[in-house]
Amino acid sequence: MSKLTFPPSFVWGAASSAYQVEGGAAEGGRAPSIWDTFTHTPGKIIDGSSGDVACDHYHRYAEDVAIMAAMGVQAYRFSISWSRVQPLGQGAWNEEGFAFYSRLLDALEAQGIAAHLTLYHWDLPQALEEQGGWRVRATARHFAAYAAEVARRFGHRAATIATHNEPWCTANLGHGVGQFAPGEANPAVAVQVSHHLLLSHGWAMQAMRELGVKAQLGIVLNQWISDPASASAADRAAADFEWARSVAWFMDPIFKGRYPELALQKLDTSLLSIHENDFIAIRQPIDFLGVNYYFRHFASTETPPRRPEGALGFTDMGWEIYPQGLTELLLRLQAEYPLPPLWITENGMANADRLQEGQVHDQARIEYVQLHLQALQTAMQAGVDVRGYFYWSLMDNFEWNSGYAKRFGLVYVDYATQKRTLKDSAYWYRGLIAEQS
């Protein structure tokens, strides 16, 4: 493995999201989100759990910031719970909710850790869902108002503000197949939802820009390359379609002001309603693009689908470990779009971690990160402007429909006691940051 050498200005961080770590689900004036409703619906979560308590970050944030400081982490990416600061998704603001995030920002500032905010990490206020949720344009307007209020209060205290995290998941997993909240399985609705998510991004960008906030503004997208499983024409066509429906579907509107023609031809667009000037709003200039990378897509039209060989193995999520895909992705993005600076806003692995005599030996995770940083370094040497890397996740947490069965963290969490234990990977990451800084 070649030596890792990153610029001194490169930022090293760790990431989390509100519903996955905060807990305090019914405290401080917070109202339910769609994930509260979804997790309390029998059969939706593999282990029957919820984020009611999660990692209790709502009460233990000071301890968690101290852990980050001890690790040498320079930046913390976290999301705001919309229903904690605006319980109904419109109307009155909840000052107790904003006070929590202000205390968290105080703690980060005291340790010199930069705050990178995400406005939406999938937890729509349930009250808005009951009025149509992301299926209706009104939600995009409410989101823009919410974005402006967060930016007004915290825009001078954050390094970056991202509108959305992985809108692909909200649209497709939440509305296309029903795997995530709100649990709808209608591909045509997913297409319409994706448009309203992009529209909300554009309107939020406009609203925050008008405030003249100091923070850099952008969006975070989960992305992957798609490789044909064979040389067959069918597999090559499937790979092209996957890129169009997943990556280009979100990148083209933001950077080109249109949807990709191949995706429009093949997706169910029967409910897609695009109004005049929608693309003008969506195509707002962004200061940064966040890229979340975990795996490649392997396009097979065989029955059953051919699986990749997985030369480097698979994570505990069953995802192929394919670091070179990160290099290929970044180079393709650079070739096809006029990119702003990039951040790797998520990258990491679920591992079957075990606490043994007070320690967690997760060498596989260390090797995973090393390989992906090497792939990132190769892309940067080829001219891709990447400003920082956030490991997902800071600590083990509620992993959506997998519940607490999957552990991504650098920090092990005993959910029964809430005791935090730094894994070997946390100590390795601390050493890497010290070496590179």
Side-chain angles (χ1 to χ4, degrees):
M1 212 173 292
S2 65
K3 180 175 171 57
L4 295 172
T5 307
F6 286 83
S9 60
F10 194 81
V11 176
W12 299 95
S16 74
S17 87
Y19 189 75
Q20 292 180 274
V21 301
E22 282 182 8
E27 294 184 55
R30 180 185 179 277
S33 77
I34 55 174
W35 271 95
D36 294 279
T37 302
F38 190 72
T39 58
H40 287 272
T41 303
K44 298 297 186 182
I45 309 302
I46 288 172
D47 60 4
S49 64
S50 75
D52 288 0
V53 177
C55 305
D56 197 28
H57 183 67
Y58 183 70
H59 298 107
R60 298 169 185 264
Y61 69 90
E63 176 187 355
D64 295 332
V65 172
I67 287 171
M68 283 187 270
M71 288 169 53
V73 166
Q74 299 164 342
Y76 179 43
R77 176 176 174 252
F78 63 95
S79 73
I80 305 286
S81 166
W82 188 353
S83 63
R84 191 179 293 286
V85 300
Q86 192 182 34
L88 300 181
Q90 58 182 311
W93 304 106
N94 178 31
E95 295 303 327
E96 199 170 346
F98 276 116
F100 163 68
Y101 293 109
S102 186
R103 293 193 299 272
L104 174 57
L105 288 166
D106 288 344
L108 292 168
E109 288 162 6
Q111 295 289 357
I113 298 172
H116 292 251
L117 307 186
T118 301
L119 296 172
Y120 188 79
H121 201 125
W122 311 347
D123 47 355
L124 185 74
Q126 179 63 28
L128 288 184
E129 173 65 19
E130 290 167 5
Q131 296 175 22
W134 289 112
R135 304 165 199 81
V136 299
R137 289 173 70 90
T139 298
R141 285 291 184 202
H142 295 316
F143 179 76
Y146 155 64
E149 185 64 14
V150 173
R152 185 182 71 78
R153 293 175 184 246
F154 298 146
H156 62 295
R157 303 179 70 182
T160 68
I161 300 176
T163 54
H164 285 276
N165 176 80
E166 301 185 348
W168 182 95
C169 291
T170 299
N172 293 289
L173 299 185
H175 296 83
V177 298
Q179 181 181 337
F180 283 2
E184 184 172 14
N186 186 327
V189 169
V191 170
Q192 180 63 68
V193 164
S194 68
H195 181 69
H196 289 156
L197 290 164
L198 283 163
L199 188 60
S200 76
H201 156 75
W203 284 344
M205 290 293 297
Q206 290 174 326
M208 291 189 291
R209 287 265 186 250
E210 288 176 7
L211 295 169
V213 299
K214 189 172 72 172
Q216 298 283 289
L217 306 177
I219 190 170
V220 171
L221 304 176
N222 53 322
Q223 301 185 324
W224 46 80
I225 57 163
S226 183
D227 287 338
S230 74
S232 75
D235 284 358
R236 291 200 303 272
D240 289 343
F241 175 55
E242 176 62 25
W243 175 268
R245 71 177 284 270
S246 297
V247 178
W249 184 261
F250 292 93
M251 291 289 285
D252 281 17
I254 293 170
F255 292 104
K256 299 179 179 179
R258 62 177 186 268
Y259 286 117
E261 194 58 41
L262 177 59
L264 288 171
Q265 290 169 7
K266 294 195 170 188
L267 290 173
D268 183 348
T269 58
S270 59
L271 297 178
L272 179 58
S273 174
I274 301 172
H275 292 204
E276 187 179 1
N277 297 329
D278 279 4
F279 286 121
I280 293 174
I282 294 168
R283 200 182 181 180
Q284 296 300 303
I286 57 177
D287 300 320
F288 74 93
L289 173 68
V291 174
N292 294 354
Y293 176 81
Y294 290 98
F295 49 75
R296 66 168 169 169
H297 179 264
F298 199 63
S300 173
T301 56
E302 297 175 20
T303 304
R306 187 183 301 188
R307 280 175 54 81
E309 292 180 8
L312 295 174
F314 298 83
T315 72
D316 200 35
M317 295 293 289
W319 299 343
E320 181 192 19
I321 299 172
Y322 197 76
Q324 60 265 47
L326 178 56
T327 309
E328 294 166 17
L329 170 65
L330 296 178
L331 292 178
R332 182 167 180 181
L333 292 177
Q334 180 172 256
E336 295 191 11
Y337 300 99
L339 297 177
L342 305 183
W343 293 78
I344 303 304
T345 33
E346 287 183 28
N347 173 244
M349 77 174 293
N351 196 42
D353 299 320
R354 293 173 60 200
L355 185 64
Q356 297 174 300
E357 298 179 354
Q359 297 179 310
V360 179
H361 303 302
D362 58 339
Q363 182 63 28
R365 180 173 288 110
I366 294 170
E367 292 171 2
Y368 176 100
V369 177
Q370 284 179 313
L371 287 168
H372 283 81
L373 289 176
Q374 190 173 314
L376 175 58
Q377 182 174 272
T378 300
M380 292 174 66
Q381 290 169 346
V384 182
D385 183 3
V386 182
R387 301 295 174 86
Y389 173 91
F390 290 87
Y391 178 80
W392 182 274
S393 56
L394 170 64
M395 54 189 164
D396 296 336
N397 55 39
F398 178 79
E399 188 48 42
W400 308 114
N401 68 315
S402 297
Y404 296 99
K406 305 296 182 184
R407 294 182 178 270
F408 276 88
L410 296 168
V411 178
Y412 184 93
V413 178
D414 180 330
Y415 297 112
T417 64
Q418 292 296 339
K419 178 176 171 57
R420 277 83 157 125
T421 301
L422 272 65
K423 303 177 187 179
D424 287 358
S425 58
Y427 293 110
W428 173 84
Y429 196 49
R430 180 177 69 184
L432 172 72
I433 295 169
E435 184 182 274
Q436 298 291 329
S437 301

